[in-house]
């Protein structure tokens, strides 16, 4: 009996000690970010994930504002949200590439408590074949548009947290293609990978104002944008992308909103996303000791799994080119 107890202690002490150390080390500290009665501003809010997020936030009692380029789609979205929730939302028309227009929209909307940078565009193509104007278009919207929004929103957000003594959130919609490069996504992945550097540095800059940054990493999601993207995908991109599971916009919105409310820095949306989050955790901030424990313990295994995925992708590429060269 004594030997069994000793063995149990030897098994338990290292994990308990590690958890205690991680509870001390994890930063920023965990926070709960309430939505009820607070202003949630969502870009790309006229369709897809943005519309689903706006509807879900309105259901939770938030005052919601949505921004998009197309005025007609904004009004359709407003009507859809009103039908689903019985509540009205603010609508703002602007192109996120236009810093002045974004600043005017945020000024009109009023101070924001939760900013969700959900806008994004993507055109899959091998870099050699892709026009540089198309590359610039993606970078200008996906990356620079996010800079424009955060820069314009920050002063009022900081003042708002001081006034209310409640934590605020800046959530940035990335992509699983912002965690791992994929054939045909050279420009798109670059525009999304850059958001991680933005978010990590920004979190350092705004934590003293009780603003928590979140990065959301959805997989392929059933949206109007995905329908258009699939029409233009290179065949190899389709083969590789189809090996991963997709999600519905409402399901992504639910995962994203739960992560935002928990103040999580990394928000995966499915099992594959959770594995990617562990594999790419590196120096990212982590507020949960339990998730940090899984990252520390699982890092080696996830590296092995990642190598298996890369082997599969490179094998697919080699086989595809060998087959097409033979028939070419």
């Amino acid at each position: 009996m004594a030997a069994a107890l000793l063995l149990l202690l030897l098994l338990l002490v290292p994990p308990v000690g590690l958890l205690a150390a991680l509870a001390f080390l994890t930063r920023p500290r965990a926070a709960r970010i309430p939505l009820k009665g607070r202003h949630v501003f969502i870009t790309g809010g006229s369709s897809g994930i943005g519309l689903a997020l706006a509807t879900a936030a309105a259901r939770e009692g938030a005052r919601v504002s949505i921004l998009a380029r197309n005025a007609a789609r904004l009004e359709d979205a407003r009507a859809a949200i009103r039908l689903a929730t019985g509540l009205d939302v603010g609508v703002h028309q602007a192109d996120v590439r236009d810093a002045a227009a974004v600043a005017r929209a945020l000024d009109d909307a009023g101070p924001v408590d939760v900013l969700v940078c959900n806008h994004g565009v993507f055109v899959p193509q091998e870099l050699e074949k892709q026009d540089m104007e198309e590359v610039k278009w993606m970078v200008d919207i996906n990356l620079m548009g996010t800079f424009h929004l955060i820069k314009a929103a920050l002063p009022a957000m900081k003042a708002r947290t001081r006034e209310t003594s409640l934590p605020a959130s800046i959530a940035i919609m990335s992509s699983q293609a912002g965690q791992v490069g994929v054939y045909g996504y050279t420009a798109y992945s670059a525009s999304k990978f850059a958001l991680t550097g933005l978010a990590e540095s920004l979190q350092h800059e705004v934590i003293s104002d009780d603003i928590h940054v979140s990065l959301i990493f959805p997989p392929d999601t059933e949206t109007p944008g995905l329908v258009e993207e699939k029409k233009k995908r290179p065949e190899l991109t389709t083969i590789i992308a189809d090996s991963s599971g997709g999600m519905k916009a409402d399901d992504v919105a639910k995962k994203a909103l739960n992560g935002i409310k928990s103040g999580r820095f990394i928000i995966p949306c499915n099992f594959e996303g959770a594995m990617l989050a562990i594999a790419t955790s590196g120096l990212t901030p982590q507020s949960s000791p339990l998730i940090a424990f899984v990252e520390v313990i699982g890092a080696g295994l996830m590296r092995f799994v990642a190598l298996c995925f890369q082997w599969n992708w490179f094998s697919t590429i080699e086989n595809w080119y060998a087959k097409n060269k033979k028939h070419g």
Side-chain angles (χ1 to χ4, degrees):
M1 184 66 176
L5 284 172
L6 180 61
L7 179 61
L8 184 62
L9 280 172
L10 288 172
L11 289 171
L12 289 177
V13 167
V16 171
L18 177 58
L19 272 171
L22 292 171
F24 173 75
L25 290 171
T26 48
R27 292 291 188 280
R29 292 297 189 191
R32 292 296 301 175
I33 297 167
L35 296 184
K36 189 173 183 180
R38 307 187 78 203
H39 188 194
V40 178
F41 190 98
I42 303 168
T43 63
S46 62
S47 65
I49 296 170
L51 177 56
L53 276 167
T55 305
R59 284 198 179 106
E60 295 208 17
R63 178 169 79 85
V64 175
S65 297
I66 57 175
L67 179 143
R69 285 175 293 175
N70 188 295
R73 287 182 182 176
L74 277 168
E75 288 303 327
D76 288 345
R78 171 189 258 169
I81 295 168
R82 189 186 294 123
L83 183 64
T85 67
L87 300 169
D88 198 14
V89 298
V91 295
H92 304 273
Q93 183 185 6
D95 187 327
V96 295
R97 292 173 293 178
D98 186 337
V102 167
R104 285 193 299 271
L106 281 159
D107 189 52
D108 290 343
V112 173
D113 298 297
V114 177
L115 175 67
V116 184
C117 303
N118 171 71
H119 57 277
V121 293
F122 50 109
V123 179
Q125 185 69 69
E126 296 92 340
L127 180 60
E128 185 181 6
K129 299 175 183 176
Q130 193 154 42
D131 189 90
M132 283 307 297
E133 283 303 309
E134 207 164 55
V135 173
K136 187 176 182 296
W137 177 67
M138 280 187 273
V139 171
D140 283 348
I141 292 175
N142 298 350
L143 179 59
M144 295 310 300
T146 304
F147 273 110
H148 294 158
L149 278 153
I150 296 170
K151 177 92 171 165
L154 260 183
M157 287 186 80
K158 289 183 174 184
R160 183 83 168 152
T161 58
R162 289 193 295 270
E163 176 191 326
T164 64
S165 298
L166 290 171
S169 171
I170 296 172
I172 300 170
M173 190 65 66
S174 184
S175 163
Q176 286 183 0
Q179 293 172 293
V180 59
V182 178
Y183 184 100
Y185 280 1
T186 302
Y188 178 65
S189 282
S191 73
K192 290 296 187 176
F193 266 85
L195 295 176
T196 298
L198 186 165
E200 288 182 5
S201 300
L202 181 68
Q203 182 61 95
H204 286 180
E205 296 176 12
V206 300
I207 191 59
S208 61
D209 296 287
D210 208 9
I211 298 173
H212 296 259
V213 178
S214 293
L215 270 171
I216 306 159
F217 292 102
D220 276 354
T221 305
E222 295 176 17
T223 65
L226 181 65
V227 172
E228 291 304 309
E229 187 251 351
K230 281 187 172 181
K231 294 176 184 176
K232 303 172 183 177
R233 273 183 181 173
E235 185 182 350
L236 257 174
T237 306
T238 298
I239 293 168
I240 293 170
D242 283 354
S243 65
S244 300
M247 292 182 70
K248 294 184 182 298
D250 286 343
D251 295 330
V252 170
K254 183 178 178 181
K255 292 278 188 182
L257 213 55
N258 285 339
I260 290 167
K261 290 188 295 182
S262 299
R264 292 185 62 182
F265 184 79
I266 298 294
I267 304 176
C269 296
N270 60 5
F271 179 70
E272 288 172 347
M275 289 197 299
L276 272 172
I278 295 168
T280 60
S281 55
L283 288 169
T284 56
Q286 181 55 263
S287 57
S288 167
L290 281 175
I291 296 174
F293 181 83
V294 174
E295 289 171 346
V296 171
I297 298 300
L301 174 62
M302 284 302 104
R303 178 56 179 154
F304 178 77
V305 172
L307 290 169
C308 292
F309 272 99
Q310 289 289 354
W311 173 84
N312 180 55
W313 294 335
F314 277 102
S315 297
T316 300
I317 293 165
E318 288 168 11
N319 292 337
W320 187 89
Y321 273 99
K323 176 184 171 185
N324 281 271
K325 193 175 290 184
K326 191 182 294 182
H327 293 97

